Amino acid sequence: MASHTFDPSRYAPELLARVADGWRRMADDERRSVERAAHLAADLAALQASPALLSAAARVIADEVRHLDVCSTVADTIDPRPPLRGRPRDGRRLELVPRAPAGEVGVARTLLTDYAIAKPSVAAALAAARAACREPLIAWGYAELLRDEARHATFGATAATWIVRRWPAHLRRNLWTECLAASAGIGLRPRVAEAEALGLLPAPTGCTLPAWILPHLQPLGLTHGPANEPAILH
Ligand SMILES: [Fe+2]
């Protein structure tokens, strides 16, 4: 899939192992994202969402499957591992577990927390890492992930806006408060300072909302009030 080669002789083996481990953790995140997107599409269907929203949800599933493949490709190219005894290791394997529909409130929380709020921060982290990175393979990985994040964020905001379209103002405010609090711990993983400085792994950017997402959040009732501290905006 990746057309870029990677020369491991430029780095210490210990650093390479930690970078590959970081990309495998990112692959695990993407694997969970596939499952989340698949459940979300089913939940939206159960809530009788429009064909346009269902189509957008289906595209998110396809994107996350590709992201999993991208992260696995980068990790395996940096640090190829021998097959596990008895069967080949497959970092791209999906293990989707069926679950009951989440219902309107649960779907709104997921759309807001994991998409409309989290994806812009992820995009900022990927863009910063890509700017620092001098390795074509890893820059390719960032570019593949980055090109979908803004669309996923606006999908989350659009679908959440549809979910809460009849909610009274106080319930929308409660949703914001819950989702902002829940998003504070998303994406925390072991830090590798040397790899982050070289752009080989993305560094976390904290709970911030870049300006481009704000117009998409306003229909949801985002205001500059107690539930939306200025610190989350930049
Ligand atoms: Fe993804």
Side-chain angles (χ1 to χ4, degrees):
M1 186 176 184
S3 59
H4 304 292
T5 57
F6 182 82
D7 180 5
S9 67
R10 300 175 59 190
Y11 305 98
E14 196 274 339
L15 176 63
L16 284 184
R18 299 191 73 184
V19 171
D21 192 50
W23 279 86
R24 289 195 171 97
R25 289 177 193 274
M26 291 164 66
D28 290 339
D29 289 345
E30 299 296 348
R31 189 176 295 103
R32 285 188 285 273
S33 293
V34 174
E35 183 166 20
R36 183 184 304 121
H39 287 152
L40 191 53
D43 289 337
L44 287 169
L47 294 171
Q48 301 184 329
S50 68
L53 272 184
L54 294 180
S55 176
R59 189 173 175 190
V60 173
I61 299 172
D63 294 337
E64 302 295 13
V65 170
R66 189 167 51 80
H67 294 177
L68 170 59
D69 195 33
V70 166
C71 292
S72 297
T73 297
V74 172
D76 291 347
T77 306
I78 292 172
D79 182 26
R81 290 181 177 177
L84 293 176
R85 199 174 357 154
R87 63 175 172 79
R89 185 183 62 79
D90 184 2
R92 295 159 176 80
R93 189 180 54 198
L94 295 171
E95 294 175 348
L96 301 182
V97 179
R99 64 149 170 75
E104 192 177 89
V105 175
V107 174
R109 281 197 195 111
T110 297
L111 288 166
L112 206 47
T113 304
D114 296 331
Y115 291 85
I117 295 175
K119 297 289 186 180
S121 293
V122 171
L126 293 172
R130 187 178 61 174
C133 183
R134 296 294 174 265
E135 285 293 344
L137 170 75
I138 293 178
W140 166 81
Y142 291 140
E144 289 294 311
L145 302 179
L146 189 53
R147 71 182 187 189
D148 298 319
E149 298 298 347
R151 180 164 42 77
H152 291 188
T154 56
F155 159 73
T158 302
T161 299
W162 176 74
I163 296 280
V164 305
R165 64 196 182 286
R166 296 194 191 95
W167 289 21
H170 75 279
L171 288 184
R172 294 184 185 208
R173 277 197 302 274
N174 291 348
L175 179 69
W176 268 111
T177 304
E178 282 178 33
C179 293
L180 287 171
S183 67
I186 288 179
L188 295 179
R189 58 167 66 95
R191 306 284 303 272
V192 186
E194 184 182 1
E196 291 174 6
L198 294 169
L200 300 176
L201 288 173
T205 57
C207 181
T208 56
L209 291 175
W212 62 262
I213 191 66
L214 300 183
H216 299 281
L217 299 179
Q218 282 165 355
L220 279 154
L222 174 67
T223 57
H224 293 273
N228 305 290
E229 297 294 334
I232 69 164
L233 306 173
H234 75 144

